[in-house]
Each structure stands twice: as C-alpha cells, then as structure tokens.
Amino acid sequence: MPRNKPVKFSICIPAYKSKFLKECIESILLQTVKDFELIILNDCSPQPIEEIVTQFDDLRIQYHKNQSNVGALNLVDNWNKCLSLANGEYIVIMGDDDLLEPDYLEEFSQMISHYPDLNVYHCRSQIIDDNGEARLLTPALPPFENVYDSIWHRLEQLRSNYISDYLYKTESLKKQGGFFHLPLAWGSDDITAFIASAEKGIAHSNKPVFKYRSHGLSISSTSSNGLMKLEADLGYAAWLKAFLLENPHEKKVQVVYRHLVENQDHYMKERKIFTMTKIMASNKLPNVWVWLRHRKQYGLAAKDILLAAAKSRNMRNQA
C-alpha cells in the first residue's frame, strides 16, 4: 500500500575537505522537501570546516566535531557516528565535495511512497568533474530487485554506486549493526546495502539526483593504501561466503543464487585484480613488486598481478 505520510530525513556530512563544502551544503539546503536535519561532523580537520558551517543561518544544521581525526582508514566509523546522531526516519551519508539536485529528497520520497516497507533505496548518479560539469551517468537499474540480483550485477561490474546514492531506514540500519566496516570503506557501501535489502529487496530511481565529484585516479587510488584495499577485498569475500551459506529457497532466485555460490571465488579474484588495476593506474610505473611480495597473503597468483599491471596502463590512458 502506498504511503502518503511525510517523512523526516537526516542528511549527514562527515567533513574533512573544505574546498567544495560550502557548495555541498548549499545544494542540500535547496531541497524542495524541507523537513530534514543536516548533521555536519568535522573529522578534526585542519581546514576551516567550522568557519564554513557558521556562514549558514539555518536551524536544521547541527554541527559536531570529533575529538581526534578518524581518517580514511576508518571512514566507516564516521558514517556510524553520524548514524548515532541521526533523528530522522531515513538517513543518507553525504560526501563533503558532492552535490544533490534540488529534488533529491523528493525523488526518494516518491520511492518510499511506492515501496514503504523497504529498508534501503537507491538513485542513479551523475559523475561530475572539479568544475561541476557532468561527465558520465551510472547505469540505469530496474525499479525493484532482490538482493541476489543486486550482488550478481555488482560483481559482474555492470553497475557503479556511491555511499550517497543510497538512503536507509534509520532504525533498520541501526538494528543491522550500522554501516558494514571494511578498511578505507572499500566495498562497505555494497555490503551495507546487501544486508539492508536481504529480506525485502531494494528500490531504484533512474532519475540522476545525486552528483558524485570524481577527482580521477589520484583520489582513493594511491599505492600507499593498496594493501589495505586488498584487506577489504578479503573481508568482502568472507561476508559473501557466509551470506551464501543460507539457501533462500524461493524458486525465483534459485538460478542466480546457485550461480553466485558456484562462481564466488572467481568474482572475488576479479575484484582483487580490479583493485590492483586501479591502484597501479595511479602511478606511471606500477610497482608490481609490492604485490608480488604479498601475493600469498592475499591469495594472488603472479599472473593476476601482471594482468592488473597490463590493465592499469589502459585505465591510465583512458583517464
């Protein structure tokens, strides 16, 4: 049954970078749906986060500051701190240099009206550059799908997503333990959404109301955090293995479920190759020796590392 009752939203920004923060806040305050709170969590940044926030005279803004810097390694801790501060019925975590279209919350409100019992909703995104110019769209998706289809298409790399194009039912997210922790949040958005949609599925909107600012290969793709991303890939694989131990029994999902069970090792190897490819692409001369030294630790073969090095050249040339 469609839901007509208005809902309250929590939009949360774990803030560290200040370059686009003012523009980010402005895009949120321009929402056509007005009933929301904006929680800004300063991650003990050396940049003038508080000075930017105090420029806005809006009672919907709540400002908080960490006592010490959580940083990129434990980024999910900031997401969960935001979750603990949220009073809205639904919550979204916002990147501090990304933007919302004015009808972002309105679009999610319409999805909630059509699918009121779900725990997670998702929208299409625009990929923008530093100047705010749209460069790409994430793939169009079905209005509704079950978790097995979500996992399958994601592992096939047929879609891309970001933490801010998901909206969660706050209480349900708290009950599932909050955002799933992986180092550098590498894959945390995937698994959090999979858990939230495991029982009831997920709704999608093909209207691109979120703008993700891409800074190219230099952001979140440096070799210094490469091994931590492989640690995250191991955690991703462990979660998937445990999740697939339970047979869903519904006939309509059996084909995809069996495919995932039989091919999960292949998918996880491909994910690790993709991770190495993206890291290596950030350097003109990929340091394959780092990966070769740790190949046993991460279940890699020498040919996997060499394949990633070859692919990284193409990725760098296309960037």
Side-chain angles (χ1 to χ4, degrees):
M1 179 180 296
R3 169 175 176 163
N4 297 316
K5 179 183 176 183
V7 297
K8 181 177 180 179
F9 299 93
S10 294
I11 304 175
C12 308
I13 308 175
Y16 188 79
K17 303 184 293 294
S18 63
K19 183 177 180 181
F20 297 104
L21 180 59
K22 185 174 185 291
E23 188 180 358
C24 172
I25 295 173
E26 288 172 344
S27 77
I28 294 170
L29 296 180
L30 288 172
Q31 290 300 296
T32 56
V33 171
K34 304 299 183 183
D35 192 8
F36 63 86
E37 61 178 4
L38 173 55
I39 298 170
I40 301 174
L41 177 62
N42 182 347
D43 190 22
C44 203
S45 173
Q47 299 189 34
I49 303 298
E50 186 169 356
E51 288 86 341
I52 293 171
V53 175
T54 55
Q55 295 177 31
F56 295 92
D57 183 17
D58 195 305
L59 295 177
R60 293 171 296 183
I61 296 177
Q62 300 176 28
Y63 177 77
H64 303 268
K65 184 176 181 178
N66 286 338
Q67 292 184 346
S68 59
N69 176 245
V70 170
L73 178 61
N74 297 306
L75 178 60
V76 178
D77 289 347
N78 271 338
W79 296 355
N80 284 324
K81 175 69 174 295
C82 286
L83 178 61
S84 71
L85 295 169
N87 295 305
E89 188 178 352
Y90 294 88
I91 181 173
V92 60
I93 301 295
M94 183 70 181
D96 58 9
D97 50 6
D98 300 327
L99 303 172
L100 301 184
E101 292 284 13
D103 57 346
Y104 176 92
L105 291 181
E106 183 178 338
E107 187 66 17
F108 276 103
S109 295
Q110 291 179 15
M111 277 193 284
I112 292 169
S113 177
H114 284 96
Y115 300 97
D117 297 326
L118 302 186
N119 295 322
V120 59
Y121 305 82
H122 177 260
C123 71
R124 198 176 189 185
S125 298
Q126 302 175 53
I127 315 301
I128 62 173
D129 59 20
D130 276 358
N131 297 318
E133 296 294 327
R135 296 301 181 189
L136 195 65
L137 290 176
T138 55
L141 300 176
F144 175 85
E145 67 180 351
N146 63 68
V147 67
Y148 300 99
D149 280 341
S150 292
I151 295 173
W152 173 40
H153 285 93
R154 180 62 171 146
L155 295 184
E156 284 280 4
Q157 297 186 23
L158 297 175
R159 60 182 58 173
S160 56
N161 46 259
Y162 308 97
I163 186 62
S164 305
D165 49 33
Y166 287 108
L167 180 126
Y168 292 91
K169 187 171 289 184
T170 306
E171 192 58 36
S172 296
L173 184 56
K174 290 178 179 179
K175 286 180 180 178
Q176 74 178 49
F179 294 95
F180 190 85
H181 190 278
L182 289 171
L184 300 168
W186 186 245
S188 294
D189 49 352
D190 285 6
I191 295 181
T192 302
F194 295 156
I195 296 172
S197 60
E199 293 185 8
K200 300 178 180 180
I202 181 172
H204 300 284
S205 167
N206 284 324
K207 191 171 186 179
V209 289
F210 170 64
K211 295 183 176 182
Y212 173 78
R213 197 182 302 271
S214 174
H215 302 280
L217 293 170
S218 62
I219 302 300
S220 75
S221 299
T222 59
S223 56
S224 61
N225 62 32
L227 295 179
M228 293 308 301
K229 286 190 174 182
L230 284 183
E231 287 288 345
D233 285 343
L234 293 181
Y236 196 117
W239 177 85
L240 181 63
K241 186 178 184 65
F243 178 73
L244 293 176
L245 287 175
E246 184 175 347
N247 191 316
H249 299 299
E250 293 95 335
K251 289 184 178 181
K252 62 182 179 180
V253 302
Q254 278 298 312
V255 173
V256 175
Y257 170 74
R258 288 197 302 268
H259 173 82
L260 291 172
V261 170
E262 294 167 2
N263 293 279
Q264 58 182 305
D265 291 340
H266 164 74
Y267 282 129
M268 290 300 100
K269 184 179 80 169
E270 290 297 309
R271 182 175 176 83
K272 286 185 280 188
I273 291 172
F274 172 78
T275 297
M276 290 188 294
T277 299
K278 195 167 184 183
I279 299 299
M280 291 184 193
S282 65
N283 300 291
K284 291 183 178 180
L285 294 174
N287 186 0
V288 299
W289 299 110
V290 172
W291 312 99
L292 288 170
R293 285 200 304 270
H294 295 87
R295 64 184 185 276
K296 292 184 179 179
Q297 179 180 351
Y298 298 108
L300 297 167
K303 64 179 182 181
D304 299 330
I305 298 168
L306 296 176
L307 176 60
K311 287 185 172 183
S312 71
R313 287 194 292 269
N314 291 331
M315 182 180 288
R316 187 166 55 249
N317 291 335
Q318 294 171 6

